[in-house]
């Protein structure tokens, strides 16, 4: 029997006062400040997960299609108020903590191949190898050590990237060293950190959508995209802004191979109505589907510039240390609040013993005449080099432990370049094509806020190239781990190339304005070249001047 088609639509805006749309609130804000909405959300999610798996719109079938972690995601049970119990709270299994498969078990021919996933009855994060239980403390430590860099790289791509292509995905294009970052790069790191590499469900792409954290994560990616749209308006209304027309080699289940894909290609299986699917040309704004984000309430503003200024203010409120430029744009008291939060979250700072009477140096000295250099590590590698997921960890200072499983928590750890590769026998046709084409992907690890910490600690005197280049020659290090956390030889990762760039940033004249980033960046192959000058550091994975002159590496 054929299934009835399901129409993808939002809440009709006419149902809301003044034509506004309801907001997708941040989960901690929803829990703290909107208790009735929170209660309904938890009850609805629990009810959703209880829908029989054979139902087409069950949690199971939809998921199968594809302290830093809020406390509501870390607790196995949660209190709610159900109808008929006179306002009293009742403890239920927390639907945000895990999804329970029940008696379901993947078939032997299923592409979900890992044995432990076949046996587990619920989704797991950072699984304990002995008990197969989630290690929430490990997840919290890993996210806590990564969150500052995630915020920094998210802010950098959302605010400074003008073109949608580089903003949206990490596919490498030659001679694009200024735009190695992307929202996909941010996306991948969260999958990696929440899953605990590929050992938990979030780290395995075929399984990841079963973890309830997946849906919150992808909602945030949608939010970042909506913010980027607002900050970079499509003034020319170009049809190529979001979609680059090209041929699809393999085809899809509704179009044969070698067909042109354009902005008007149907986005199956998402239906506008019974007769046809949505297209990319029609789905550019969240309001079409009946929602907005707290930062993207454009209807509240008469002037577009006021709207964009309010977004910058909102980003500061969410995270008062997304970039050095934004810290320097604030008054002294706000600067001190930001520095205090940076230190409180920093494992580098927590393991330091400051002398009696220590006082922070003046951070305004870092930006003479209102300008300074942003420092960024660029990374590139073949996506499927290891036939599975892998991570490149970037440090300022040697790792303090030889145990690779402890590197995500290391005090010298700055950030992670997470690559979600797939196995050679994958059932994913795009992955097969990418493997055949040796697809290379890129990522960035911003270093500026980590260098700010070293400035506060007295390790560097400023952010000029005269000071930072010799410091990075000595202290910038990188290591590779496979999906299970074991160390993998750097020199054996196909096309792995590590380089360093700087980009001049101008501090905004007002705290609700965007920083201005120079169009051109400067590459420093001397940082990643061996001291002898013969070959790249990191077992030959560092960019060298010779390699740069030969081309094809950046």
């Amino acid at each position: 029997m054929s299934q009835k088609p399901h129409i993808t639509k939002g809440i009709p805006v006419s149902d809301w006062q003044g034509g506004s749309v309801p907001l997708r609130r941040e989960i901690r804000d929803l829990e703290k400040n909107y208790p009735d909405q929170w209660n309904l959300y938890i009850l609805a999610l629990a009810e959703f997960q209880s829908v029989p798996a054979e139902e087409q719109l069950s949690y199971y079938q939809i998921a199968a299609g594809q302290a830093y972690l809020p406390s509501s995601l870390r607790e196995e049970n949660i209190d709610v108020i159900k109808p008929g119990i006179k306002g009293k709270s009742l403890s239920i299994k927390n639907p945000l903590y895990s999804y329970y498969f029940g008696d379901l078990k993947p078939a032997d021919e299923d592409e979900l191949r890992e044995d432990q996933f076949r046996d587990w009855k619920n989704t797991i994060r950072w699984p304990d190898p002995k008990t197969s239980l989630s290690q929430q403390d490990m997840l919290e430590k890993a996210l806590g050590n990564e969150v500052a860099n995630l915020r920094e790289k998210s802010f950098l791509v959302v605010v400074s990237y003008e073109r949608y292509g580089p903003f949206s995905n990490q596919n490498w294009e030659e001679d694009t060293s200024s735009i190695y970052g992307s929202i996909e790069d941010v996306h991948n790191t969260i999958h990696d950190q929440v899953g605990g590499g590929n050992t938990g469900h979030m780290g395995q792409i075929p399984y990841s959508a079963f973890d309830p954290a997946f849906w919150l994560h992808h909602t945030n990616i949608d939010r970042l995209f909506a913010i980027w749209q607002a900050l970079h308006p499509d003034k020319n209304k170009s049809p190529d802004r979001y979609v680059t027309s090209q041929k699809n080699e393999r085809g899809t289940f509704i179009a044969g191979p070698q067909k042109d894909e354009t902005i008007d290609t149907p986005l199956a299986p998402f239906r506008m109505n019974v007769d046809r699917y949505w297209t990319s040309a029609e789905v550019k704004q969240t309001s079409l589907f009946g929602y907005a984000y707290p930062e993207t309430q454009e209807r509240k503003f008469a002037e577009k510039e006021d709207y964009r200024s309010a977004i910058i203010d909102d980003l500061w409120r969410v995270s008062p240390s997304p970039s050095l430029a934004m810290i320097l744009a604030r008054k002294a008291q706000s600067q001190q609040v930001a520095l205090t939060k940076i230190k409180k979250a920093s494992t580098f700072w927590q393991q330091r013993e400051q002398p009696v009477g220590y006082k922070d140096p003046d951070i305004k000295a870092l930006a003479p005449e209102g300008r300074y250099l942003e420092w960024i590590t660029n990374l590139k590698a073949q996506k499927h080099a290891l036939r599975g997921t892998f991570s490149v960890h970037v440090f300022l200072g040697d790792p303090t432990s030889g145990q690779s499983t402890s590197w995500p928590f290391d005090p010298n750890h700055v950030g992670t370049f997470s690559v979600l590769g797939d196995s050679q026998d994958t059932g994913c046709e795009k992955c097969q094509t990418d493997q055949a084409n040796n697809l290379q992907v890129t990522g960035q690890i911003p270093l500026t806020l980590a260098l700010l910490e070293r400035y506060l600690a007295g390790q560097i005197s400023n952010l000029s190239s005269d000071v930072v280049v010799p410091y990075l020659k000595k202290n910038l290090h990188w290591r590779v781990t496979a999906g299970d956390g074991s160390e993998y030889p750097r020199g054996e990762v196909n096309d792995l190339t590590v380089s360093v760039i700087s980009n001049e940033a101008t501090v905004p004249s007002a705290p609700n304005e965007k920083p201005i980033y120079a169009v051109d960046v400067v590459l420093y192959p001397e940082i990643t070249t061996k001291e002898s000058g013969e070959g790249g550091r990191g077992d030959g994975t560092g960019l060298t001047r010779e390699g740069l002159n030969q081309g094809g590496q950046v």
Side-chain angles (χ1 to χ4, degrees):
M1 181 184 295
S2 62
Q3 297 273 15
K4 177 183 176 182
H6 294 282
I7 310 306
T8 304
K9 58 183 179 180
I11 300 170
V13 296
S14 59
D15 290 354
W16 293 84
Q17 186 175 4
S20 65
V21 294
L23 301 184
R24 283 187 173 181
R25 301 189 184 279
E26 200 275 336
I27 190 167
R28 283 163 288 213
D29 178 40
L30 185 68
E31 181 179 13
K32 180 180 178 181
N33 298 316
Y34 302 89
D36 291 341
Q37 292 181 32
W38 170 254
N39 187 69
L40 288 171
Y41 170 64
I42 293 297
L43 287 172
L45 183 57
E47 189 70 19
F48 180 29
Q49 291 186 358
S50 70
V51 174
E54 61 270 16
E55 294 287 335
Q56 189 177 9
L57 291 185
S58 66
Y59 186 97
Y60 178 82
Q61 291 214 21
I62 291 176
Q66 265 308 319
Y68 289 100
L69 191 71
S71 60
S72 54
L73 273 74
R74 300 198 307 266
E75 304 296 333
E76 290 190 59
N77 297 296
I78 194 166
D79 290 340
V80 296
I81 298 173
K82 283 191 170 183
I85 58 174
K86 298 181 179 179
K88 293 182 179 180
S89 64
L90 174 72
S91 181
I92 65 170
K93 261 185 182 177
N94 184 0
L96 289 170
Y97 178 79
S98 186
Y99 171 69
Y100 292 84
F101 296 98
D103 295 327
L104 294 168
K105 190 174 184 179
D108 288 339
E109 66 271 15
D110 200 302
E111 69 169 334
L112 311 181
R113 299 170 300 276
E114 298 296 331
D115 290 342
Q116 71 268 28
F117 292 102
R118 295 173 184 269
D119 297 332
W120 289 342
K121 297 296 184 183
N122 60 283
T123 54
I124 299 174
R125 304 163 186 159
W126 279 82
D128 185 311
K130 294 180 180 179
T131 66
S132 295
L133 297 175
S134 292
Q135 300 179 98
Q136 296 291 340
D137 58 334
M138 301 286 277
L139 167 55
E140 179 71 9
K141 285 171 61 179
L143 273 182
N145 210 26
E146 191 83 33
V147 68
N149 200 258
L150 280 168
R151 287 171 176 164
E152 189 177 9
K153 73 165 75 172
S154 298
F155 183 85
L156 193 63
V157 297
V158 167
V159 171
S160 71
Y161 281 32
E162 295 290 341
R163 292 194 296 125
Y164 174 71
F167 163 79
S168 68
N169 73 85
Q170 60 178 174
N171 290 7
W172 173 64
E173 298 177 22
E174 195 168 352
D175 297 324
T176 54
S177 55
S178 62
I179 49 175
Y180 264 40
S182 66
I183 208 66
E184 185 179 8
D185 182 27
V186 174
H187 160 271
N188 292 351
T189 302
I190 292 293
H191 272 276
D192 182 39
Q193 294 291 347
V194 175
N198 69 1
T199 61
H201 288 82
M202 269 289 279
Q204 286 271 353
I205 294 303
Y207 276 106
S208 60
F210 289 109
D211 189 323
F214 173 95
W215 305 98
L216 299 176
H217 171 40
H218 280 254
T219 297
N220 190 48
I221 295 298
D222 181 62
R223 166 182 164 266
L224 293 174
F225 173 41
I227 291 171
W228 179 85
Q229 286 181 298
L231 293 177
H232 306 277
D234 185 9
K235 296 177 181 177
N236 298 324
K237 306 297 181 185
S238 168
D240 296 329
R241 176 169 170 82
Y242 297 114
V243 176
T244 301
S245 300
Q246 57 187 343
K247 286 190 182 298
N248 186 318
E249 294 179 15
R250 291 178 174 267
T252 68
F253 69 91
I254 65 164
Q258 299 301 317
K259 296 289 186 181
D260 288 333
E261 287 194 340
T262 71
I263 196 168
D264 296 314
T265 296
L267 297 174
F270 303 106
R271 291 182 179 270
M272 172 185 280
N273 52 48
V274 174
D275 299 318
R276 74 180 190 90
Y277 299 107
W278 291 100
T279 70
S280 297
E282 297 162 331
V283 292
K284 296 177 182 177
Q285 301 298 328
T286 65
S287 56
L288 181 68
F289 296 100
Y291 70 93
Y293 292 99
E295 300 92 343
T296 60
Q297 300 178 73
E298 184 176 3
R299 64 178 181 82
K300 293 169 61 176
F301 301 91
E303 301 295 332
K304 301 288 188 183
E305 284 307 313
D306 292 339
Y307 172 44
R308 286 188 274 276
S309 295
I311 290 175
I312 298 297
D313 267 341
D314 285 339
L315 292 178
W316 174 267
R317 277 191 286 271
V318 172
S319 170
S321 55
S323 79
L324 177 57
M326 296 309 297
I327 296 172
L328 291 171
R330 297 277 162 167
K331 294 180 179 179
Q333 185 176 358
S334 295
Q335 289 179 5
Q336 195 54 51
V337 169
L339 295 182
T340 299
K341 290 194 173 185
I342 287 173
K343 292 177 185 178
K344 187 176 180 180
S346 167
T347 51
F348 164 80
W349 202 262
Q350 290 164 9
Q351 55 89 40
R352 293 188 60 79
E353 291 186 10
Q354 295 302 328
V356 176
Y358 167 82
K359 185 179 179 181
D360 285 336
D362 182 10
I363 63 170
K364 290 183 180 178
L366 291 173
E369 299 180 354
R371 292 189 296 273
Y372 69 93
L373 294 180
E374 288 276 357
W375 292 89
I376 299 168
T377 304
N378 277 352
L379 304 105
K380 174 176 70 70
Q382 279 192 28
K383 180 172 183 177
H384 302 283
L386 272 62
R387 295 298 186 254
T389 63
F390 65 95
S391 301
V392 184
H393 302 271
V394 173
F395 303 84
L396 286 183
D398 286 312
T400 59
S401 171
Q403 282 257 336
S404 61
T405 51
S406 69
W407 289 344
F409 325 120
D410 196 279
N412 291 331
H413 188 272
V414 178
T416 309
F417 171 47
S418 301
V419 183
L420 303 184
D422 210 339
S423 63
Q424 197 159 5
D425 59 349
T426 178
C428 163
E429 290 195 1
K430 182 180 185 305
C431 303
Q432 294 170 7
T433 301
D434 291 344
Q435 288 176 3
N437 294 335
N438 295 325
L439 175 71
Q440 297 182 50
V441 293
T442 63
Q444 288 186 328
I445 304 297
L447 300 174
T448 307
L449 290 182
L451 290 169
L452 169 62
E453 292 184 44
R454 275 66 180 174
Y455 170 73
L456 296 175
Q459 292 187 5
I460 59 173
S461 58
N462 58 59
L463 292 175
S464 70
S465 58
D466 290 342
V467 169
V468 174
V469 168
Y471 179 83
L472 294 181
K473 279 184 178 181
K474 181 179 179 181
N475 292 286
L476 179 68
H477 301 286
W478 56 94
R479 303 284 189 276
V480 175
T481 55
D484 62 0
S486 61
E487 184 173 8
Y488 192 89
R490 296 170 293 190
E492 296 181 17
V493 180
N494 292 341
D495 292 315
L496 176 59
T497 307
V498 179
S499 56
V500 176
I501 63 170
S502 73
N503 182 217
E504 186 179 77
T506 300
V507 177
S509 57
N512 59 0
E513 294 178 0
K514 293 190 298 182
I516 299 173
Y517 298 93
V519 174
D520 297 321
V521 301
V522 178
L523 268 164
Y524 299 87
E526 61 268 36
I527 292 175
T528 47
T529 300
K530 290 179 181 177
E531 194 171 344
S532 65
E534 298 178 359
R537 292 175 52 204
D539 300 325
T541 59
L543 177 71
T544 64
R545 174 63 63 185
E546 181 183 7
L548 183 60
N549 291 338
Q550 290 173 354
Q553 289 202 26
V554 294

